[in-house]
Amino acid sequence: MAKSLVIVESPAKAKTISKILGQDYVVKASIGHVRDLPKNKLGVNVRKNFEPQYEILREKETIVKELKEAADVADKVYLAPDPDREGEAIAWHLSEILDLPAKKLHRVEFNEITKEAVLAAMKKPRQIDRSLVDAQQARRLLDRLVGYKISPLLWRKVNGRSAGRVQSVAVRIICEREAEIDVFLPQEYWSIKADLSKLRSKTSFAMNLAKFEGKRIIAASDKPSATAVVIDSEKRANEIVSAVQKEKFAVTSVTEKTSQRNPQPPFITSTLQREAANNLGYAVKKTMQVAQQLYEGVELGDAGPSGLITYMRTDSTRVSPQAQDEAKQYVLDRFEKEFYPDKPRLYEKKIKSAQDAHEAIRPSSVWRTPESIRAFLSPDQFKVYKLIWERFLSSQMASAELATTTVEVTAGAGVFRGSSTDVTFAGYTIVYNRESTADDSAQEDPSAEALTILPELTKGEEVKLKGVDPKQHFTQPPPRFTEASLVKTLEELGIGRPSTYATTVNTIIDRKYVERQAKNLCPTKLGKAVNALLVEHFGDIVEVGFTADMEAKLDKIEDDKVDWHGMLKDFYKPFGETLKRAEENMNKVIILSEHVCPTCGLQMAIRSSRFGQFLGCIGYPECKTKIRLTKDGLPVPEDRPSDELCKTCTAPMLIRYGRYGDYLACSVEECTEQRPIVKYTGVTCPREECGGDIVEKKSRRGKMFFGCSHYGVNGCTMAFWYPPLKSGGPKSGSNKCPQCDALLLYKVLKRGDQIACSNKECGFAQPVTGQEERVS
């Protein structure tokens, strides 16, 4: 009996769905797109109404052959790529390639990959949504027209990599922020804090000066007015201090009020990316990779494979009634009834362009708590799942209730203010108490109530002054973008969609237009030069409003309200005219470096090739000197001597730089011996009779870890993510665990550094004391 064929994108997704559907189905993966525009030509016939010229990707020819063979013998074919524009386009391309009768071909989509959801979706197949396909196709053709036409011009004029419709706008936003920082002039302002106490108490509390001579005290970044003033100098601050110190300090106002703090909505793509960046330190790309794994499915022991979260590319905060009911039952079962609100919470979309096609990102079952499945998850999977689970459950819970007491103390013409807030009912914070990170650009308000623990005070009560502290401040420039804040800005401006944020960020970094400095995104010289040319000659194309308008038109194509051919036609005619003017007027730009040519003494310029960036002499073609650059943008160093000898010919080894960094190479030209540089920690392998040393190593993804130099020899598998302790441990100052004698590790954690046992079954851990000697 013929089986049905199900085609998905990824092998991981195929594995999960195959185990759910059983033996009557064959599940195969296309591994992403199988057909696209050609790589070596435009691939869009502009004269034939923008007809795309698709071709099967060379690396997918074998996969396509296998899918065709499987489809020919199947009784039905279900196309099940992801439930979004990109997934719909993959399904359409597969349908075109397989060329099967319409009655044999079915489109199914899974918002979550659980047994119940998959079986329900298989009972409700549909036809391919051509409006969704058209929207994706229009985006692809639009991006190809912009990139393929502008990029060659950039290669000739600035030796840049390429241009992209959305990516170029992101670079412009970053460059404009950098320009704001460059011209920023800090302004001085002062705050004044009083340390006070009750008359017969030694415990002090702090209050900030809120008013002086009837005028509110503000920061220099705020606008002075008839009722607000800036303390703009040390002289003025000292005058105020002298004036209030002579006065009696008495309570003139005690105000008590109650308020509620509402939970935040469940995650959408952008808020998950931001929260993972702020709380876990994850890059946008990493967050999406881990979320994809959770969506596609994880083996849960005897329970079998299951997707743990709903689809992770969404801009909707909508939650299904079934998920709301499940959350309600969980809250009522695990907490008091007061922790559930009077009625289920509904969250309105805050983003005008939100499509609301999918639910918010939530756990597929709230009963599957993070701790209950921790054993089946990697550390990264556990952290991201815990974040999603807690955020969703809290979003369905009651508000926290707060009681705030605000006290004003008057001293002559000065009024000092402080407040104290108590949580009277924890509400949702019992589950999720991470508040959104504040805007880094916010200036410190000198008149804000000092948040402190206030004693019980009554109006008219005199208090004792213990000291007055004037403090100097300077206004701060707007902060550089981080990955998280850039995604937030792109979303607010309507640029890109949930499926494109991570790609946009990665692309501008990979093209060397932007670089990471700590967590900040900074434009490179190349990025600034390319942006300046694009703004001058293609101002409309890289303008925020224009790009957002194009996104809105793509949405209308999806809603079948705009014809994609007409949209491209309206775009292309003025674009072609702009392109022609740019080719005539754009001057060649040379990006000079700080380095001098070692051959002729002229300056070296930053240039690009398909292999990456390098330094080239500006005297080219007379001087053809080139210097490779490291991945950090520095000139590749000359070979350096080392203390190591070649194991083949005993000649000295040299330290040489390669594509993965420094390595050892034999100094004899005829000898081909090479080996990695081993950095010893000074700690021997704790495994008995091993004789190896613990050394620094790098994983295939470039992450540092520590492992035995004899790893894999005689069964030694000693390896740790954290550095081993050298000495200073609790067991007689050694590096051995006091409970099981295993090696101790030094862990740098957000909640505080600790030393912990390397034996996972032991569990010993304690805060550092400062006596420990760690591997540097």
Side-chain angles (χ1 to χ4, degrees), residues 677-715:
I677 296 174
V678 178
K679 186 174 180 181
Y680 291 88
T681 63
V683 177
T684 57
C685 178
R687 186 170 178 267
E688 292 183 10
E689 302 177 0
C690 173
D693 296 287
I694 301 298
V695 298
E696 281 188 13
K697 297 190 173 190
K698 279 191 175 180
S699 69
R700 284 180 292 178
R701 296 186 177 180
K703 186 176 179 181
M704 183 184 292
F705 70 99
F706 299 84
C708 181
S709 57
H710 291 176
Y711 191 91
V713 179
N714 297 324

Short mmCIF file of all heavy atoms in Angstrom, two decimals, residues 677-715:
data_model
loop_
_atom_site.label_atom_id
_atom_site.label_comp_id
_atom_site.label_asym_id
_atom_site.label_seq_id
_atom_site.Cartn_x
_atom_site.Cartn_y
_atom_site.Cartn_z
N ILE A 677 48.55 25.72 18.54
CA ILE A 677 49.30 26.19 19.71
C ILE A 677 48.57 25.74 20.97
O ILE A 677 47.37 25.97 21.12
CB ILE A 677 49.41 27.73 19.69
CG1 ILE A 677 50.25 28.16 18.48
CG2 ILE A 677 50.04 28.25 20.98
CD1 ILE A 677 50.30 29.66 18.29
N VAL A 678 49.30 25.09 21.83
CA VAL A 678 48.70 24.58 23.07
C VAL A 678 49.05 25.54 24.22
O VAL A 678 50.22 25.84 24.44
CB VAL A 678 49.22 23.16 23.40
CG1 VAL A 678 48.63 22.68 24.72
CG2 VAL A 678 48.86 22.20 22.27
N LYS A 679 48.03 26.01 24.92
CA LYS A 679 48.24 26.88 26.06
C LYS A 679 47.95 26.08 27.34
O LYS A 679 46.83 25.68 27.60
CB LYS A 679 47.32 28.10 25.99
CG LYS A 679 47.60 29.12 27.10
CD LYS A 679 46.76 30.39 26.91
CE LYS A 679 47.06 31.38 28.04
NZ LYS A 679 46.25 32.62 27.90
N TYR A 680 49.02 25.84 28.10
CA TYR A 680 48.89 25.03 29.31
C TYR A 680 48.36 25.88 30.47
O TYR A 680 48.67 27.06 30.59
CB TYR A 680 50.25 24.43 29.69
CG TYR A 680 50.72 23.38 28.71
CD1 TYR A 680 51.46 23.74 27.59
CD2 TYR A 680 50.40 22.05 28.90
CE1 TYR A 680 51.88 22.78 26.68
CE2 TYR A 680 50.82 21.07 28.00
CZ TYR A 680 51.56 21.44 26.89
OH TYR A 680 51.97 20.50 25.99
N THR A 681 47.56 25.26 31.31
CA THR A 681 46.97 25.97 32.46
C THR A 681 47.78 25.78 33.74
O THR A 681 47.56 26.49 34.71
CB THR A 681 45.54 25.46 32.74
OG1 THR A 681 45.60 24.06 33.10
CG2 THR A 681 44.65 25.63 31.50
N GLY A 682 48.70 24.82 33.72
CA GLY A 682 49.45 24.52 34.93
C GLY A 682 48.74 23.52 35.84
O GLY A 682 49.20 23.24 36.95
N VAL A 683 47.62 22.97 35.37
CA VAL A 683 46.85 21.99 36.14
C VAL A 683 46.95 20.64 35.43
O VAL A 683 46.75 20.56 34.21
CB VAL A 683 45.38 22.41 36.26
CG1 VAL A 683 44.56 21.35 37.01
CG2 VAL A 683 45.27 23.76 36.96
N THR A 684 47.27 19.61 36.17
CA THR A 684 47.38 18.28 35.57
C THR A 684 46.00 17.63 35.50
O THR A 684 45.09 17.97 36.26
CB THR A 684 48.32 17.38 36.39
OG1 THR A 684 47.84 17.32 37.74
CG2 THR A 684 49.74 17.93 36.39
N CYS A 685 45.85 16.69 34.59
CA CYS A 685 44.58 15.98 34.44
C CYS A 685 44.27 15.20 35.71
O CYS A 685 45.13 14.46 36.21
CB CYS A 685 44.66 15.05 33.23
SG CYS A 685 43.14 14.09 32.98
N PRO A 686 43.05 15.35 36.26
CA PRO A 686 42.71 14.67 37.52
C PRO A 686 42.49 13.16 37.36
O PRO A 686 42.40 12.44 38.36
CB PRO A 686 41.41 15.37 37.94
CG PRO A 686 40.80 15.85 36.67
CD PRO A 686 41.95 16.20 35.78
N ARG A 687 42.42 12.68 36.12
CA ARG A 687 42.19 11.24 35.91
C ARG A 687 43.45 10.46 36.26
O ARG A 687 44.55 10.76 35.78
CB ARG A 687 41.80 10.98 34.46
CG ARG A 687 41.41 9.55 34.15
CD ARG A 687 40.81 9.47 32.76
NE ARG A 687 40.47 8.11 32.40
CZ ARG A 687 41.27 7.28 31.73
NH1 ARG A 687 42.47 7.68 31.35
NH2 ARG A 687 40.88 6.05 31.44
N GLU A 688 43.30 9.46 37.08
CA GLU A 688 44.45 8.67 37.53
C GLU A 688 45.13 7.99 36.35
O GLU A 688 44.50 7.48 35.42
CB GLU A 688 44.00 7.61 38.54
CG GLU A 688 43.53 8.20 39.86
CD GLU A 688 43.17 7.12 40.87
OE1 GLU A 688 43.47 5.95 40.59
OE2 GLU A 688 42.59 7.47 41.91
N GLU A 689 46.47 7.99 36.40
CA GLU A 689 47.32 7.32 35.41
C GLU A 689 47.18 7.90 34.00
O GLU A 689 47.61 7.27 33.03
CB GLU A 689 47.03 5.82 35.36
CG GLU A 689 47.23 5.12 36.70
CD GLU A 689 46.86 3.64 36.63
OE1 GLU A 689 46.46 3.18 35.55
OE2 GLU A 689 47.00 2.97 37.66
N CYS A 690 46.59 9.12 33.88
CA CYS A 690 46.48 9.74 32.56
C CYS A 690 47.80 10.41 32.17
O CYS A 690 48.34 10.18 31.09
CB CYS A 690 45.35 10.75 32.52
SG CYS A 690 45.27 11.70 30.99
N GLY A 691 48.31 11.25 33.07
CA GLY A 691 49.57 11.92 32.80
C GLY A 691 49.47 13.15 31.92
O GLY A 691 50.47 13.76 31.57
N GLY A 692 48.25 13.51 31.52
CA GLY A 692 48.07 14.68 30.66
C GLY A 692 47.96 15.97 31.44
O GLY A 692 47.98 15.98 32.68
N ASP A 693 47.88 17.06 30.73
CA ASP A 693 47.72 18.39 31.33
C ASP A 693 46.42 19.01 30.84
O ASP A 693 45.99 18.77 29.70
CB ASP A 693 48.88 19.31 30.93
CG ASP A 693 50.21 18.82 31.46
OD1 ASP A 693 50.43 18.94 32.67
OD2 ASP A 693 51.01 18.29 30.66
N ILE A 694 45.79 19.82 31.69
CA ILE A 694 44.60 20.55 31.26
C ILE A 694 45.07 21.76 30.45
O ILE A 694 45.84 22.58 30.94
CB ILE A 694 43.75 20.99 32.46
CG1 ILE A 694 43.31 19.78 33.29
CG2 ILE A 694 42.53 21.79 31.98
CD1 ILE A 694 42.43 18.80 32.53
N VAL A 695 44.59 21.86 29.20
CA VAL A 695 45.01 22.93 28.30
C VAL A 695 43.78 23.66 27.75
O VAL A 695 42.67 23.14 27.81
CB VAL A 695 45.85 22.37 27.12
CG1 VAL A 695 47.12 21.72 27.63
CG2 VAL A 695 45.03 21.39 26.30
N GLU A 696 44.02 24.88 27.25
CA GLU A 696 42.94 25.63 26.59
C GLU A 696 42.68 25.04 25.21
O GLU A 696 43.62 24.71 24.48
CB GLU A 696 43.32 27.10 26.43
CG GLU A 696 43.17 27.91 27.69
CD GLU A 696 43.38 29.39 27.44
OE1 GLU A 696 43.38 29.79 26.25
OE2 GLU A 696 43.55 30.14 28.40
N LYS A 697 41.40 24.92 24.86
CA LYS A 697 41.02 24.42 23.54
C LYS A 697 39.89 25.26 22.99
O LYS A 697 39.30 26.07 23.70
CB LYS A 697 40.59 22.94 23.62
CG LYS A 697 41.69 21.99 24.08
CD LYS A 697 41.26 20.54 23.90
CE LYS A 697 42.41 19.59 24.20
NZ LYS A 697 42.12 18.20 23.81
N LYS A 698 39.58 25.05 21.72
CA LYS A 698 38.45 25.72 21.09
C LYS A 698 37.56 24.69 20.43
O LYS A 698 38.04 23.76 19.79
CB LYS A 698 38.92 26.76 20.06
CG LYS A 698 39.36 28.07 20.67
CD LYS A 698 39.57 29.13 19.60
CE LYS A 698 39.90 30.47 20.23
NZ LYS A 698 40.09 31.52 19.20
N SER A 699 36.24 24.89 20.60
CA SER A 699 35.29 24.01 19.96
C SER A 699 35.20 24.32 18.47
O SER A 699 35.79 25.30 18.00
CB SER A 699 33.90 24.17 20.60
OG SER A 699 33.37 25.45 20.28
N ARG A 700 34.45 23.52 17.74
CA ARG A 700 34.31 23.76 16.31
C ARG A 700 33.67 25.11 16.01
O ARG A 700 33.85 25.67 14.94
CB ARG A 700 33.45 22.65 15.68
CG ARG A 700 34.20 21.34 15.51
CD ARG A 700 33.32 20.28 14.89
NE ARG A 700 32.25 19.89 15.79
CZ ARG A 700 31.30 19.00 15.48
NH1 ARG A 700 31.29 18.44 14.28
NH2 ARG A 700 30.36 18.68 16.34
N ARG A 701 32.90 25.63 16.98
CA ARG A 701 32.26 26.94 16.80
C ARG A 701 33.07 28.08 17.38
O ARG A 701 32.60 29.21 17.47
CB ARG A 701 30.86 26.92 17.42
CG ARG A 701 29.91 25.95 16.72
CD ARG A 701 28.52 26.05 17.27
NE ARG A 701 27.60 25.17 16.55
CZ ARG A 701 26.31 25.05 16.83
NH1 ARG A 701 25.79 25.77 17.81
NH2 ARG A 701 25.53 24.25 16.14
N GLY A 702 34.31 27.79 17.80
CA GLY A 702 35.19 28.84 18.28
C GLY A 702 35.07 29.17 19.75
O GLY A 702 35.69 30.11 20.22
N LYS A 703 34.27 28.41 20.50
CA LYS A 703 34.10 28.69 21.93
C LYS A 703 35.21 28.03 22.72
O LYS A 703 35.52 26.85 22.51
CB LYS A 703 32.73 28.18 22.40
CG LYS A 703 32.40 28.56 23.84
CD LYS A 703 31.00 28.13 24.22
CE LYS A 703 30.68 28.48 25.67
NZ LYS A 703 29.33 28.06 26.07
N MET A 704 35.80 28.78 23.65
CA MET A 704 36.91 28.24 24.43
C MET A 704 36.41 27.26 25.49
O MET A 704 35.39 27.49 26.13
CB MET A 704 37.69 29.37 25.09
CG MET A 704 38.90 28.89 25.88
SD MET A 704 39.74 30.23 26.75
CE MET A 704 40.41 31.14 25.38
N PHE A 705 37.17 26.17 25.68
CA PHE A 705 36.91 25.26 26.79
C PHE A 705 38.25 24.72 27.26
O PHE A 705 39.32 25.06 26.72
CB PHE A 705 35.94 24.15 26.39
CG PHE A 705 36.49 23.14 25.41
CD1 PHE A 705 36.96 21.91 25.85
CD2 PHE A 705 36.51 23.41 24.05
CE1 PHE A 705 37.46 20.98 24.95
CE2 PHE A 705 36.99 22.48 23.14
CZ PHE A 705 37.47 21.26 23.60
N PHE A 706 38.23 23.89 28.27
CA PHE A 706 39.46 23.36 28.86
C PHE A 706 39.37 21.84 28.85
O PHE A 706 38.36 21.26 29.27
CB PHE A 706 39.63 23.88 30.29
CG PHE A 706 39.74 25.37 30.36
CD1 PHE A 706 38.60 26.16 30.39
CD2 PHE A 706 40.97 25.99 30.37
CE1 PHE A 706 38.69 27.55 30.43
CE2 PHE A 706 41.07 27.38 30.41
CZ PHE A 706 39.93 28.16 30.44
N GLY A 707 40.43 21.21 28.34
CA GLY A 707 40.40 19.75 28.23
C GLY A 707 41.78 19.15 28.39
O GLY A 707 42.80 19.86 28.37
N CYS A 708 41.82 17.83 28.54
CA CYS A 708 43.08 17.12 28.74
C CYS A 708 43.87 17.09 27.43
O CYS A 708 43.31 16.90 26.35
CB CYS A 708 42.80 15.70 29.23
SG CYS A 708 44.31 14.75 29.52
N SER A 709 45.20 17.26 27.55
CA SER A 709 46.06 17.20 26.37
C SER A 709 46.11 15.78 25.79
O SER A 709 46.51 15.60 24.64
CB SER A 709 47.48 17.67 26.72
OG SER A 709 48.01 16.89 27.78
N HIS A 710 45.70 14.79 26.59
CA HIS A 710 45.65 13.39 26.13
C HIS A 710 44.22 12.97 25.79
O HIS A 710 43.90 11.78 25.83
CB HIS A 710 46.21 12.45 27.20
CG HIS A 710 47.69 12.61 27.40
ND1 HIS A 710 48.40 11.92 28.37
CD2 HIS A 710 48.61 13.38 26.75
CE1 HIS A 710 49.67 12.28 28.30
NE2 HIS A 710 49.81 13.17 27.33
N TYR A 711 43.36 13.97 25.51
CA TYR A 711 41.94 13.65 25.26
C TYR A 711 41.83 12.59 24.16
O TYR A 711 42.42 12.71 23.08
CB TYR A 711 41.20 14.92 24.83
CG TYR A 711 39.69 14.77 24.79
CD1 TYR A 711 38.91 15.05 25.90
CD2 TYR A 711 39.06 14.32 23.63
CE1 TYR A 711 37.53 14.92 25.87
CE2 TYR A 711 37.68 14.17 23.59
CZ TYR A 711 36.92 14.47 24.71
OH TYR A 711 35.56 14.32 24.67
N GLY A 712 41.03 11.57 24.44
CA GLY A 712 40.83 10.49 23.47
C GLY A 712 41.84 9.38 23.57
O GLY A 712 41.69 8.32 22.95
N VAL A 713 42.92 9.59 24.37
CA VAL A 713 43.94 8.55 24.56
C VAL A 713 43.62 7.76 25.82
O VAL A 713 43.36 8.34 26.87
CB VAL A 713 45.35 9.19 24.67
CG1 VAL A 713 46.41 8.11 24.88
CG2 VAL A 713 45.65 10.02 23.43
N ASN A 714 43.62 6.46 25.71
CA ASN A 714 43.31 5.57 26.85
C ASN A 714 41.98 5.93 27.52
O ASN A 714 41.82 5.80 28.73
CB ASN A 714 44.44 5.63 27.89
CG ASN A 714 45.75 5.12 27.33
OD1 ASN A 714 45.76 4.18 26.53
ND2 ASN A 714 46.86 5.73 27.72
N GLY A 715 41.03 6.41 26.70
CA GLY A 715 39.69 6.66 27.21
C GLY A 715 39.53 7.93 28.03
O GLY A 715 38.51 8.11 28.70
#
